Amino acid sequence: MKRVFKTRHFRRWMRKTGLSEKALHAAVAEMEAGLIDADLGGGVVKKRIALSGRGKRGGTRALIATNRGNRWFFVFGFEKNQRASIGNKELEALQGIAHDLLKLTNAQLDAAVSEGTLEEICDDSQS
């Protein structure tokens, strides 16, 4: 019963970069196979995601809140050429967001999707 979401903030950033949902699906599949670029602690991981025609090295970095099982939330993204990483205060904030997202029930997640706070991009519960 895997569920994958992107936050409203991530969705806006994604539109600006041209990152596709197909790329997010591929990233989740890689992470499920153990291919995570960095475990930042507190339920936050970093993953490189290729942009069309640029590959992973010249692509984007996504920060994902996850329990590494059935919940994946794309919460923050940046392009490598715009910044190297995130600061400690940003990481602490993201870990707080991860904590809040990962404790949501399925009903609360469904409500967040209805409100537009989250957008679900993969739901294996329908299988």
Side-chain angles (χ1 to χ4, degrees), residues 18-45:
L19 188 63
S20 69
E21 282 193 9
K22 182 178 178 182
L24 299 184
H25 286 282
V28 170
E30 288 177 3
M31 289 185 289
E32 287 178 315
L35 300 173
I36 292 172
D37 296 307
D39 184 339
L40 303 177
V44 179
V45 297

PDB file of all heavy atoms in Angstrom, residues 18-45:
ATOM      1  N   GLY A  18      10.573  21.806 -14.922  1.00  0.00           N
ATOM      2  CA  GLY A  18      10.228  20.856 -15.972  1.00  0.00           C
ATOM      3  C   GLY A  18      10.386  19.407 -15.537  1.00  0.00           C
ATOM      4  O   GLY A  18      10.361  18.489 -16.364  1.00  0.00           O
ATOM      5  N   LEU A  19      10.529  19.191 -14.250  1.00  0.00           N
ATOM      6  CA  LEU A  19      10.630  17.828 -13.715  1.00  0.00           C
ATOM      7  C   LEU A  19       9.295  17.115 -13.891  1.00  0.00           C
ATOM      8  O   LEU A  19       8.242  17.694 -13.635  1.00  0.00           O
ATOM      9  CB  LEU A  19      11.012  17.895 -12.234  1.00  0.00           C
ATOM     10  CG  LEU A  19      11.346  16.600 -11.533  1.00  0.00           C
ATOM     11  CD1 LEU A  19      12.570  15.941 -12.155  1.00  0.00           C
ATOM     12  CD2 LEU A  19      11.619  16.888 -10.059  1.00  0.00           C
ATOM     13  N   SER A  20       9.335  15.872 -14.331  1.00  0.00           N
ATOM     14  CA  SER A  20       8.102  15.135 -14.610  1.00  0.00           C
ATOM     15  C   SER A  20       7.738  14.178 -13.476  1.00  0.00           C
ATOM     16  O   SER A  20       8.600  13.772 -12.689  1.00  0.00           O
ATOM     17  CB  SER A  20       8.264  14.324 -15.900  1.00  0.00           C
ATOM     18  OG  SER A  20       9.182  13.264 -15.685  1.00  0.00           O
ATOM     19  N   GLU A  21       6.457  13.825 -13.419  1.00  0.00           N
ATOM     20  CA  GLU A  21       6.028  12.817 -12.455  1.00  0.00           C
ATOM     21  C   GLU A  21       6.659  11.471 -12.765  1.00  0.00           C
ATOM     22  O   GLU A  21       6.939  10.695 -11.860  1.00  0.00           O
ATOM     23  CB  GLU A  21       4.501  12.709 -12.425  1.00  0.00           C
ATOM     24  CG  GLU A  21       3.872  13.828 -11.649  1.00  0.00           C
ATOM     25  CD  GLU A  21       2.409  13.592 -11.331  1.00  0.00           C
ATOM     26  OE1 GLU A  21       1.881  12.482 -11.565  1.00  0.00           O
ATOM     27  OE2 GLU A  21       1.781  14.543 -10.848  1.00  0.00           O
ATOM     28  N   LYS A  22       6.901  11.210 -14.031  1.00  0.00           N
ATOM     29  CA  LYS A  22       7.579   9.968 -14.423  1.00  0.00           C
ATOM     30  C   LYS A  22       8.942   9.881 -13.735  1.00  0.00           C
ATOM     31  O   LYS A  22       9.334   8.829 -13.243  1.00  0.00           O
ATOM     32  CB  LYS A  22       7.735   9.917 -15.942  1.00  0.00           C
ATOM     33  CG  LYS A  22       8.372   8.667 -16.454  1.00  0.00           C
ATOM     34  CD  LYS A  22       8.451   8.681 -17.974  1.00  0.00           C
ATOM     35  CE  LYS A  22       9.134   7.425 -18.493  1.00  0.00           C
ATOM     36  NZ  LYS A  22       9.255   7.439 -19.949  1.00  0.00           N
ATOM     37  N   ALA A  23       9.656  11.015 -13.666  1.00  0.00           N
ATOM     38  CA  ALA A  23      10.953  11.048 -12.998  1.00  0.00           C
ATOM     39  C   ALA A  23      10.803  10.789 -11.496  1.00  0.00           C
ATOM     40  O   ALA A  23      11.647  10.129 -10.890  1.00  0.00           O
ATOM     41  CB  ALA A  23      11.641  12.383 -13.249  1.00  0.00           C
ATOM     42  N   LEU A  24       9.714  11.294 -10.902  1.00  0.00           N
ATOM     43  CA  LEU A  24       9.473  11.049  -9.476  1.00  0.00           C
ATOM     44  C   LEU A  24       9.188   9.574  -9.220  1.00  0.00           C
ATOM     45  O   LEU A  24       9.687   8.994  -8.247  1.00  0.00           O
ATOM     46  CB  LEU A  24       8.315  11.907  -8.962  1.00  0.00           C
ATOM     47  CG  LEU A  24       8.479  13.419  -9.050  1.00  0.00           C
ATOM     48  CD1 LEU A  24       7.284  14.113  -8.406  1.00  0.00           C
ATOM     49  CD2 LEU A  24       9.777  13.885  -8.437  1.00  0.00           C
ATOM     50  N   HIS A  25       8.388   8.959 -10.094  1.00  0.00           N
ATOM     51  CA  HIS A  25       8.103   7.529  -9.964  1.00  0.00           C
ATOM     52  C   HIS A  25       9.401   6.724 -10.040  1.00  0.00           C
ATOM     53  O   HIS A  25       9.612   5.797  -9.253  1.00  0.00           O
ATOM     54  CB  HIS A  25       7.144   7.057 -11.056  1.00  0.00           C
ATOM     55  CG  HIS A  25       5.732   7.496 -10.852  1.00  0.00           C
ATOM     56  ND1 HIS A  25       4.884   6.891  -9.961  1.00  0.00           N
ATOM     57  CD2 HIS A  25       5.014   8.493 -11.434  1.00  0.00           C
ATOM     58  CE1 HIS A  25       3.712   7.493  -9.987  1.00  0.00           C
ATOM     59  NE2 HIS A  25       3.765   8.467 -10.874  1.00  0.00           N
ATOM     60  N   ALA A  26      10.269   7.081 -10.991  1.00  0.00           N
ATOM     61  CA  ALA A  26      11.554   6.383 -11.145  1.00  0.00           C
ATOM     62  C   ALA A  26      12.413   6.574  -9.892  1.00  0.00           C
ATOM     63  O   ALA A  26      13.076   5.636  -9.434  1.00  0.00           O
ATOM     64  CB  ALA A  26      12.281   6.881 -12.383  1.00  0.00           C
ATOM     65  N   ALA A  27      12.398   7.784  -9.328  1.00  0.00           N
ATOM     66  CA  ALA A  27      13.182   8.062  -8.124  1.00  0.00           C
ATOM     67  C   ALA A  27      12.703   7.217  -6.951  1.00  0.00           C
ATOM     68  O   ALA A  27      13.516   6.667  -6.198  1.00  0.00           O
ATOM     69  CB  ALA A  27      13.104   9.550  -7.784  1.00  0.00           C
ATOM     70  N   VAL A  28      11.392   7.083  -6.798  1.00  0.00           N
ATOM     71  CA  VAL A  28      10.854   6.268  -5.707  1.00  0.00           C
ATOM     72  C   VAL A  28      11.262   4.810  -5.905  1.00  0.00           C
ATOM     73  O   VAL A  28      11.672   4.133  -4.953  1.00  0.00           O
ATOM     74  CB  VAL A  28       9.322   6.414  -5.588  1.00  0.00           C
ATOM     75  CG1 VAL A  28       8.742   5.381  -4.633  1.00  0.00           C
ATOM     76  CG2 VAL A  28       8.964   7.819  -5.124  1.00  0.00           C
ATOM     77  N   ALA A  29      11.179   4.315  -7.131  1.00  0.00           N
ATOM     78  CA  ALA A  29      11.580   2.932  -7.409  1.00  0.00           C
ATOM     79  C   ALA A  29      13.051   2.715  -7.049  1.00  0.00           C
ATOM     80  O   ALA A  29      13.405   1.687  -6.450  1.00  0.00           O
ATOM     81  CB  ALA A  29      11.327   2.589  -8.879  1.00  0.00           C
ATOM     82  N   GLU A  30      13.895   3.685  -7.381  1.00  0.00           N
ATOM     83  CA  GLU A  30      15.312   3.572  -7.033  1.00  0.00           C
ATOM     84  C   GLU A  30      15.510   3.589  -5.522  1.00  0.00           C
ATOM     85  O   GLU A  30      16.304   2.819  -4.980  1.00  0.00           O
ATOM     86  CB  GLU A  30      16.106   4.716  -7.671  1.00  0.00           C
ATOM     87  CG  GLU A  30      16.268   4.595  -9.166  1.00  0.00           C
ATOM     88  CD  GLU A  30      17.010   5.781  -9.775  1.00  0.00           C
ATOM     89  OE1 GLU A  30      17.463   6.686  -9.029  1.00  0.00           O
ATOM     90  OE2 GLU A  30      17.142   5.799 -11.009  1.00  0.00           O
ATOM     91  N   MET A  31      14.789   4.471  -4.834  1.00  0.00           N
ATOM     92  CA  MET A  31      14.929   4.545  -3.374  1.00  0.00           C
ATOM     93  C   MET A  31      14.447   3.266  -2.703  1.00  0.00           C
ATOM     94  O   MET A  31      15.039   2.810  -1.734  1.00  0.00           O
ATOM     95  CB  MET A  31      14.200   5.775  -2.833  1.00  0.00           C
ATOM     96  CG  MET A  31      14.895   7.076  -3.201  1.00  0.00           C
ATOM     97  SD  MET A  31      14.157   8.552  -2.459  1.00  0.00           S
ATOM     98  CE  MET A  31      12.624   8.688  -3.377  1.00  0.00           C
ATOM     99  N   GLU A  32      13.381   2.682  -3.230  1.00  0.00           N
ATOM    100  CA  GLU A  32      12.898   1.410  -2.683  1.00  0.00           C
ATOM    101  C   GLU A  32      13.949   0.316  -2.834  1.00  0.00           C
ATOM    102  O   GLU A  32      14.019  -0.591  -2.017  1.00  0.00           O
ATOM    103  CB  GLU A  32      11.599   0.985  -3.375  1.00  0.00           C
ATOM    104  CG  GLU A  32      10.406   1.813  -2.974  1.00  0.00           C
ATOM    105  CD  GLU A  32       9.138   1.416  -3.703  1.00  0.00           C
ATOM    106  OE1 GLU A  32       9.178   1.212  -4.937  1.00  0.00           O
ATOM    107  OE2 GLU A  32       8.105   1.319  -3.017  1.00  0.00           O
ATOM    108  N   ALA A  33      14.767   0.438  -3.874  1.00  0.00           N
ATOM    109  CA  ALA A  33      15.842  -0.531  -4.112  1.00  0.00           C
ATOM    110  C   ALA A  33      17.101  -0.182  -3.310  1.00  0.00           C
ATOM    111  O   ALA A  33      18.122  -0.843  -3.450  1.00  0.00           O
ATOM    112  CB  ALA A  33      16.159  -0.587  -5.603  1.00  0.00           C
ATOM    113  N   GLY A  34      17.034   0.878  -2.495  1.00  0.00           N
ATOM    114  CA  GLY A  34      18.155   1.249  -1.640  1.00  0.00           C
ATOM    115  C   GLY A  34      19.070   2.314  -2.204  1.00  0.00           C
ATOM    116  O   GLY A  34      20.086   2.641  -1.597  1.00  0.00           O
ATOM    117  N   LEU A  35      18.731   2.877  -3.349  1.00  0.00           N
ATOM    118  CA  LEU A  35      19.574   3.892  -3.984  1.00  0.00           C
ATOM    119  C   LEU A  35      19.185   5.289  -3.506  1.00  0.00           C
ATOM    120  O   LEU A  35      18.497   6.034  -4.193  1.00  0.00           O
ATOM    121  CB  LEU A  35      19.476   3.787  -5.505  1.00  0.00           C
ATOM    122  CG  LEU A  35      19.923   2.449  -6.090  1.00  0.00           C
ATOM    123  CD1 LEU A  35      19.619   2.379  -7.571  1.00  0.00           C
ATOM    124  CD2 LEU A  35      21.394   2.211  -5.819  1.00  0.00           C
ATOM    125  N   ILE A  36      19.636   5.612  -2.314  1.00  0.00           N
ATOM    126  CA  ILE A  36      19.378   6.921  -1.708  1.00  0.00           C
ATOM    127  C   ILE A  36      20.713   7.640  -1.636  1.00  0.00           C
ATOM    128  O   ILE A  36      21.715   7.061  -1.230  1.00  0.00           O
ATOM    129  CB  ILE A  36      18.741   6.768  -0.319  1.00  0.00           C
ATOM    130  CG1 ILE A  36      17.330   6.199  -0.486  1.00  0.00           C
ATOM    131  CG2 ILE A  36      18.738   8.082   0.442  1.00  0.00           C
ATOM    132  CD1 ILE A  36      16.646   5.820   0.798  1.00  0.00           C
ATOM    133  N   ASP A  37      20.746   8.896  -2.056  1.00  0.00           N
ATOM    134  CA  ASP A  37      22.010   9.633  -2.086  1.00  0.00           C
ATOM    135  C   ASP A  37      22.485  10.041  -0.700  1.00  0.00           C
ATOM    136  O   ASP A  37      23.684  10.056  -0.444  1.00  0.00           O
ATOM    137  CB  ASP A  37      21.887  10.850  -3.001  1.00  0.00           C
ATOM    138  CG  ASP A  37      21.651  10.413  -4.439  1.00  0.00           C
ATOM    139  OD1 ASP A  37      22.442   9.598  -4.938  1.00  0.00           O
ATOM    140  OD2 ASP A  37      20.665  10.867  -5.049  1.00  0.00           O
ATOM    141  N   ALA A  38      21.577  10.391   0.189  1.00  0.00           N
ATOM    142  CA  ALA A  38      21.977  10.752   1.547  1.00  0.00           C
ATOM    143  C   ALA A  38      20.790  10.613   2.483  1.00  0.00           C
ATOM    144  O   ALA A  38      19.679  11.026   2.146  1.00  0.00           O
ATOM    145  CB  ALA A  38      22.497  12.182   1.587  1.00  0.00           C
ATOM    146  N   ASP A  39      21.040  10.018   3.649  1.00  0.00           N
ATOM    147  CA  ASP A  39      20.043   9.974   4.708  1.00  0.00           C
ATOM    148  C   ASP A  39      20.368  11.142   5.630  1.00  0.00           C
ATOM    149  O   ASP A  39      21.412  11.156   6.288  1.00  0.00           O
ATOM    150  CB  ASP A  39      20.125   8.652   5.463  1.00  0.00           C
ATOM    151  CG  ASP A  39      19.052   8.513   6.519  1.00  0.00           C
ATOM    152  OD1 ASP A  39      18.485   9.540   6.962  1.00  0.00           O
ATOM    153  OD2 ASP A  39      18.767   7.371   6.913  1.00  0.00           O
ATOM    154  N   LEU A  40      19.490  12.135   5.649  1.00  0.00           N
ATOM    155  CA  LEU A  40      19.727  13.350   6.417  1.00  0.00           C
ATOM    156  C   LEU A  40      19.174  13.261   7.834  1.00  0.00           C
ATOM    157  O   LEU A  40      19.277  14.206   8.603  1.00  0.00           O
ATOM    158  CB  LEU A  40      19.136  14.549   5.679  1.00  0.00           C
ATOM    159  CG  LEU A  40      19.668  14.754   4.255  1.00  0.00           C
ATOM    160  CD1 LEU A  40      18.968  15.933   3.592  1.00  0.00           C
ATOM    161  CD2 LEU A  40      21.163  14.931   4.241  1.00  0.00           C
ATOM    162  N   GLY A  41      18.582  12.125   8.188  1.00  0.00           N
ATOM    163  CA  GLY A  41      18.040  11.922   9.518  1.00  0.00           C
ATOM    164  C   GLY A  41      16.639  12.475   9.672  1.00  0.00           C
ATOM    165  O   GLY A  41      16.182  13.284   8.863  1.00  0.00           O
ATOM    166  N   GLY A  42      15.949  12.007  10.684  1.00  0.00           N
ATOM    167  CA  GLY A  42      14.612  12.507  10.980  1.00  0.00           C
ATOM    168  C   GLY A  42      13.583  12.212   9.907  1.00  0.00           C
ATOM    169  O   GLY A  42      12.616  12.940   9.762  1.00  0.00           O
ATOM    170  N   GLY A  43      13.806  11.142   9.144  1.00  0.00           N
ATOM    171  CA  GLY A  43      12.849  10.774   8.104  1.00  0.00           C
ATOM    172  C   GLY A  43      13.035  11.531   6.797  1.00  0.00           C
ATOM    173  O   GLY A  43      12.172  11.489   5.926  1.00  0.00           O
ATOM    174  N   VAL A  44      14.175  12.221   6.633  1.00  0.00           N
ATOM    175  CA  VAL A  44      14.438  12.990   5.424  1.00  0.00           C
ATOM    176  C   VAL A  44      15.610  12.366   4.665  1.00  0.00           C
ATOM    177  O   VAL A  44      16.656  12.086   5.258  1.00  0.00           O
ATOM    178  CB  VAL A  44      14.764  14.467   5.742  1.00  0.00           C
ATOM    179  CG1 VAL A  44      15.069  15.255   4.478  1.00  0.00           C
ATOM    180  CG2 VAL A  44      13.609  15.116   6.504  1.00  0.00           C
ATOM    181  N   VAL A  45      15.404  12.143   3.370  1.00  0.00           N
ATOM    182  CA  VAL A  45      16.473  11.639   2.508  1.00  0.00           C
ATOM    183  C   VAL A  45      16.641  12.575   1.313  1.00  0.00           C
ATOM    184  O   VAL A  45      15.725  13.301   0.954  1.00  0.00           O
ATOM    185  CB  VAL A  45      16.204  10.192   2.012  1.00  0.00           C
ATOM    186  CG1 VAL A  45      16.148   9.222   3.180  1.00  0.00           C
ATOM    187  CG2 VAL A  45      14.943  10.111   1.179  1.00  0.00           C
TER     188      VAL A  45
END
